[in-house]
Amino acid sequence: MCGPGRPRLPRGPPPARPTAGYKLTRRAVSAASPPVVRAGGFPCPSEKPPLPLSMAEDLILERCDLELEANGRDHHTADLCQDRLVVRRGQPFWLKLHFEGRSYEAGVDTLTFSAVTGPAPSEEAGTKARFPLSDAVEEGAWTASVVDQQDGVLSLQLSTPATAPIGLYRLSLEASTGYQGSSFVLGHFTLLFNTWCPADAVYLDSEEERREYVLTQQGFIYQGSAKFIKSVPWNYGQFEDGILDTCLMLLDINPKFLKDSGRDCSRRSSPVYVGRVVSGMVNCNDDQGVLQGRWDNNYGDGVSPMFWIGSVDILRRWRDYGCQQVKYGQCWVFAAVACTVLRCLGIPTRVVTNYNSAHDQNSNLLIEYFRNEFGELQGDKSEMIWNFHCWVESWMTRPDLQPGYEGWQALDPTPQEKSEGTYCCGPVPVRAIKEGDLSTKYDAPFVFAEVNADVVDWIQQEDGSMHKSINHSLVVGLKISTKSVGRDEREDITHNYKYPEGSQEERDAFTRANHLNKLAEKEETGVAMRIRVAESMSMGSDFDVFAHITNDTAEDRACRLVLCARTVSYNGVLGPECGTKDLLGLALEPYSEKSIPLRILYEKYRDSLTQSNLIKVQGLLIEPAANSYVLAQRDIYLENPEIKIRVLGEPKQNRKLVAEVSMRNPLTVPLTGCSFTVEGAGLLREQKTVEIPDPVEPEEVVKVGGQVISNHDLHSSFCWYRWESGAQHLS
């Protein structure tokens, strides 16, 4: 049993509202009803001797108090228990039965409870439980026992198994005296996974981690590039109004439920199963899922993925429009919504970002690029290296796998490849990825490739032959990041996925994965190149990038350098050129270094920069005499102007706050059609947008103010603002 199991004294007079909004219903129970086991209680000091069964009056239940406040506090569900009972499995919860006429008598009355979930509850499937009032509390079973009795009020403790299916339950009571009795619906309650319970498959032994990965409603998602990591705040809002109902609705319209509801509800006892369902339902590629993905920068009939700042608005739109797909999402949006749903259901979950993430379609652990003699890509490319890619990790045991594979499991809701006929991915143990165990369920080869695939660039020469280039600048699987526990800082978790580069453990993992490309020796020519940039580059500025070339040999080298800068989406799709340079006669002296600049102008990238704010700079160094090609690449992230938030006055819980938001226009042109958007868990019931009526001139600071009410301590509540402009995009 988990959580507090202590007897409780009465907490004063019961509230006037019965049954948390549920009206008691009653039906007669005849002698033909199934026999029930008599249960003992304990007598009150003033209790009279029991009447003979033939003389006892019927036991009539007036109402049931589901103890919302106490249960919400004990089960860490206070935000969900405003008008309903939400509890976590494997942990006792409390209720009070108020009888009219006479009190419950242990030797006379028999109380039997029933808890059912799903449209076709079954004891065999674990979706129906019938259990008597008992003195003994049996571990791992549905039980009910007496805590206290005073006059006509019976205080009870109900316990649920730590393996019970999660979902909405109906709780009923059968009260019988002799061969007559009545049945009452006590109310409904929602059962969630319980990371505080050692017997639960999602148990975490760190209280700090439990609070971060289940209870925290805000966080950061990491974007940008491996060289310039950008933190983006996100409002998960898993305890906001209506989100729990929306998450349960998502489970109830998944294809497996529609095919066999009884089996689906039964399997909801497993976080492995629930995680896989959520992975498939967050995208809408083959069901009535939440989000439609789009990556072509044409978002006119929906919302740009860059404009979302939280999951709440997305899930509410999906629910309010009859489970119609919400337009549009990209990887971090899919991952963030999945994180909201899984945390809401009680599964510890975090969003992770992998930089230089490979999309390997044929599971050969190899991404090949074919380029012309100037380094330009030839033809369409479906296998790409994404600048970054986000998925989620959820904490759970894996009884279906060998020991040692419990813990963090990778789940990827972004629709990329099908898994067992459905666009979903995982859960797969992160440990299995690190060990190169690609036979592990689910989808280990795909996730392994995301962090370990090799990249080969082929250069087509004038005679049509292909020559392999050297590219040491692009390494797959860098700076794998997630938010730190209890702090607004980044934690690097690359070591969870990969052994140190060059270590024997890494080679062993590659051998197990049959990753022959990584095991091969790398070709060296003595000439190397890398792209260098200024420490920080901001939107609207002109700046220089440099091809830094070293010749570590004793020979003169006669080379050609082709430098090119192009806008790029975060998933690797290239846009127009915004800077080029072609040096035909570049002489490299022995043991020398050279730095060749390339100027990139705002007027060149202004109209083609995508909402990813990324520019890819590529250098191709050609040495005709040696038939040698050296390729170097770097993705540059352009910083948006800072949005400053200032709280005016002293913040106190449940008091109105005035917040001022400001931003400076860094561009050389006015901004028109601008707005700020704000949302925050525990601060605002819904997203709010403030329009800016006048143009914002260059270097002008625009300010807006507004009121919010903090329902929590201020340190645990955050506001997030998005800035939009019609003429220019800054988000």
Side-chain angles (χ1 to χ4, degrees):
M1 181 186 300
C2 309
R6 60 194 183 283
R8 290 177 170 264
L9 296 175
R11 296 182 178 83
R17 182 176 57 186
T19 344
Y22 292 103
K23 184 178 180 180
L24 293 175
T25 59
R26 176 185 176 189
R27 65 176 175 82
V29 180
S30 69
S33 300
V36 295
V37 179
R38 294 196 174 277
F42 58 85
C44 295
S46 60
E47 190 175 67
K48 298 178 181 179
L51 294 171
L53 293 180
S54 59
M55 298 176 60
E57 300 177 5
D58 284 348
L59 187 64
I60 306 300
L61 182 66
E62 175 191 350
R63 61 189 175 88
C64 173
D65 179 2
L66 295 178
E67 297 263 27
L68 299 186
E69 182 179 352
N71 287 318
R73 181 182 63 248
D74 291 348
H75 287 254
H76 306 278
T77 56
D79 289 335
L80 299 172
C81 281
Q82 300 302 312
D83 57 2
R84 70 169 79 204
L85 179 60
V86 181
V87 295
R88 301 187 186 276
R89 65 184 192 176
Q91 179 175 335
F93 62 95
W94 323 95
L95 57 84
K96 289 180 180 177
L97 302 180
H98 295 255
F99 297 100
E100 64 179 40
R102 70 175 180 86
S103 302
Y104 163 78
E105 298 183 49
V108 174
D109 304 305
T110 299
L111 302 184
T112 303
F113 296 86
S114 174
V116 299
T117 185
S122 158
E123 292 187 14
E124 292 77 13
T127 52
K128 177 181 180 181
R130 194 166 181 271
F131 50 101
L133 189 64
S134 172
D135 285 331
V137 177
E138 183 182 349
E139 291 287 340
W142 291 86
T143 62
S145 57
V146 176
V147 174
D148 189 27
Q149 183 174 3
Q150 291 191 6
D151 299 327
V153 181
L154 186 65
S155 298
L156 302 178
Q157 170 186 292
L158 271 65
S159 298
T160 63
T163 56
I166 65 161
L168 180 65
Y169 280 78
R170 184 180 75 249
L171 182 64
S172 302
L173 168 67
E174 184 180 296
S176 60
T177 304
Y179 295 103
Q180 299 296 322
S182 301
S183 179
F184 305 89
V185 176
L186 301 180
H188 292 76
F189 67 92
T190 300
L191 193 65
L192 304 178
F193 292 106
N194 192 354
T195 190
W196 285 266
C197 178
D200 198 304
V202 301
Y203 173 69
L204 263 172
D205 60 6
S206 165
E207 176 63 17
E208 195 176 17
E209 290 183 344
R210 293 192 288 248
R211 292 192 171 276
E212 178 71 42
Y213 299 133
V214 175
L215 299 184
T216 298
Q217 296 195 77
Q218 63 281 321
F220 291 94
I221 299 173
Y222 296 95
Q223 299 181 8
S225 67
K227 297 284 188 179
F228 191 93
I229 295 174
K230 173 69 174 176
S231 63
V232 176
W234 193 269
N235 177 30
Y236 295 112
Q238 65 267 29
F239 302 136
E240 292 291 277
D241 289 348
I243 297 303
L244 175 57
D245 288 336
T246 303
C247 295
L248 296 176
M249 181 189 302
L250 181 145
L251 296 181
D252 284 346
I253 66 167
N254 91 81
K256 295 178 180 179
F257 177 86
L258 300 178
K259 181 180 179 181
D260 188 341
S261 61
R263 176 172 167 78
D264 176 80
C265 288
S266 175
R267 298 182 73 187
R268 292 180 191 179
S269 61
S270 166
V272 176
Y273 178 78
V274 171
R276 192 156 171 81
V277 167
V278 171
S279 171
M281 285 299 297
V282 167
N283 70 73
C284 67
N285 282 42
D286 36 30
D287 46 43
Q288 286 183 275
V290 178
L291 277 162
Q292 179 179 338
R294 190 159 191 166
W295 286 266
D296 61 3
N297 297 309
N298 297 316
Y299 311 120
D301 60 339
V303 176
S304 164
M306 289 290 180
F307 285 1
W308 302 115
I309 54 178
S311 306
V312 176
D313 189 33
I314 295 170
L315 289 167
R316 284 176 176 167
R317 290 185 189 217
W318 178 73
R319 176 198 65 201
D320 294 345
Y321 289 95
C323 304
Q324 295 296 310
Q325 60 200 31
V326 178
K327 302 176 180 179
Y328 291 101
Q330 291 178 2
C331 70
W332 69 93
V333 187
F334 287 108
V337 172
C339 184
T340 295
V341 174
L342 292 166
R343 284 186 183 183
C344 185
L345 298 176
I347 301 176
T349 303
R350 62 189 186 184
V351 176
V352 302
T353 300
N354 175 42
Y355 290 93
N356 293 351
S357 188
H359 182 181
D360 179 24
Q361 290 183 316
N362 57 15
S363 299
N364 68 349
L365 303 177
L366 185 65
I367 306 295
E368 293 182 291
Y369 289 104
F370 296 91
R371 305 176 182 274
N372 64 18
E373 57 186 306
F374 304 107
E376 299 168 338
L377 285 175
Q378 301 298 290
D380 294 331
K381 183 66 179 171
S382 56
E383 289 193 327
M384 300 287 289
I385 302 299
W386 291 29
N387 189 263
F388 66 87
H389 181 55
C390 299
W391 57 79
V392 297
E393 290 178 356
S394 292
W395 183 274
M396 63 189 73
T397 61
R398 289 303 299 267
D400 56 326
L401 302 177
Q402 68 186 55
Y405 281 164
E406 66 281 351
W408 290 116
Q409 313 287 316
L411 290 142
D412 193 346
T414 300
Q416 298 175 88
E417 302 295 328
K418 285 191 173 184
S419 172
E420 297 182 342
T422 301
Y423 278 101
C424 67
C425 180
V428 59
V430 173
R431 180 62 185 270
I433 302 305
K434 184 173 185 176
E435 298 297 337
D437 185 356
L438 304 193
S439 63
T440 308
K441 295 189 297 187
Y442 293 88
D443 311 305
F446 186 81
V447 179
F448 183 85
E450 287 183 307
V451 299
N452 284 303
D454 202 14
V455 182
V456 174
D457 290 275
W458 297 96
I459 308 295
Q460 185 174 20
Q461 299 174 313
E462 291 183 0
D463 61 0
S465 62
M466 306 300 293
H467 189 88
K468 187 177 180 180
S469 74
I470 297 172
N471 182 1
H472 295 325
S473 64
L474 184 56
V475 177
V476 169
L478 293 176
K479 302 289 183 68
I480 304 175
S481 304
T482 192
K483 178 186 174 297
S484 296
V485 175
R487 295 178 293 123
D488 296 338
E489 298 175 8
R490 184 183 72 90
E491 179 184 355
D492 193 310
I493 57 172
T494 308
H495 61 279
N496 291 346
Y497 284 83
K498 307 171 76 168
Y499 283 106
E501 185 176 358
S503 67
Q504 184 59 47
E505 292 90 345
E506 181 193 50
R507 293 189 63 84
D508 292 344
F510 289 157
T511 300
R512 279 189 290 272
N514 197 29
H515 198 353
L516 303 181
N517 292 291
K518 284 286 190 178
L519 293 170
E521 293 294 327
K522 300 298 182 182
E523 182 182 354
E524 300 289 348
T525 65
V527 176
M529 177 172 59
R530 56 179 172 166
I531 306 298
R532 287 182 170 177
V533 300
E535 191 168 306
S536 177
M537 288 148 294
S538 59
M539 172 73 69
S541 65
D542 302 336
F543 55 89
D544 290 316
V545 297
F546 301 88
H548 187 77
I549 305 167
T550 57
N551 177 11
D552 291 331
T553 70
E555 302 173 358
D556 288 302
R557 301 292 184 106
C559 300
R560 176 183 180 181
L561 174 64
V562 180
L563 274 175
C564 179
R566 300 177 69 173
T567 58
V568 62
S569 296
Y570 88 97
N571 64 337
V573 177
L574 294 171
E577 289 182 353
C578 55
T580 59
K581 178 175 284 188
D582 190 349
L583 297 180
L584 294 175
L586 179 63
L588 300 178
E589 294 79 15
Y591 303 109
S592 66
E593 296 184 6
K594 283 194 175 181
S595 195
I596 311 299
L598 173 65
R599 188 72 170 167
I600 299 178
L601 304 176
Y602 171 62
E603 64 182 34
K604 294 292 186 180
Y605 68 77
R606 173 179 60 192
D607 297 328
S608 59
L609 191 70
T610 71
Q611 294 173 6
S612 301
N613 282 21
L614 290 168
I615 293 175
K616 181 180 286 292
V617 180
Q618 175 180 289
L620 179 63
L621 188 66
I622 307 166
E623 187 180 2
N627 198 21
S628 171
Y629 297 83
V630 176
L631 189 69
Q633 297 171 317
R634 181 158 179 172
D635 292 310
I636 299 169
Y637 179 80
L638 301 183
E639 284 191 270
N640 280 321
E642 180 185 6
I643 296 176
K644 297 181 178 180
I645 304 172
R646 188 163 67 103
V647 176
L648 308 179
E650 182 182 0
K652 289 187 177 181
Q653 190 171 355
N654 297 320
R655 178 180 292 182
K656 288 184 178 180
L657 302 174
V658 176
E660 180 186 82
V661 188
S662 63
M663 192 200 76
R664 180 185 64 85
N665 176 12
L667 306 183
T668 58
V669 295
L671 297 174
T672 59
C674 304
S675 65
F676 282 103
T677 301
V678 58
E679 70 176 69
L683 294 172
L684 296 168
R685 294 184 64 87
E686 58 186 17
Q687 217 179 61
K688 289 188 177 180
T689 298
V690 180
E691 304 289 342
I692 309 298
D694 301 321
V696 182
E697 298 297 328
E699 299 300 320
E700 180 184 353
V701 176
V702 60
K703 297 180 181 180
V704 298
Q707 288 187 340
V708 295
I709 299 177
S710 176
N711 296 324
H712 308 286
D713 294 334
L714 187 65
H715 70 268
S716 63
S717 302
F718 292 78
C719 283
W720 290 283
Y721 287 81
R722 180 183 71 231
W723 168 269
E724 293 181 43
S725 168
Q728 302 291 332
H729 168 75
L730 296 171
S731 67

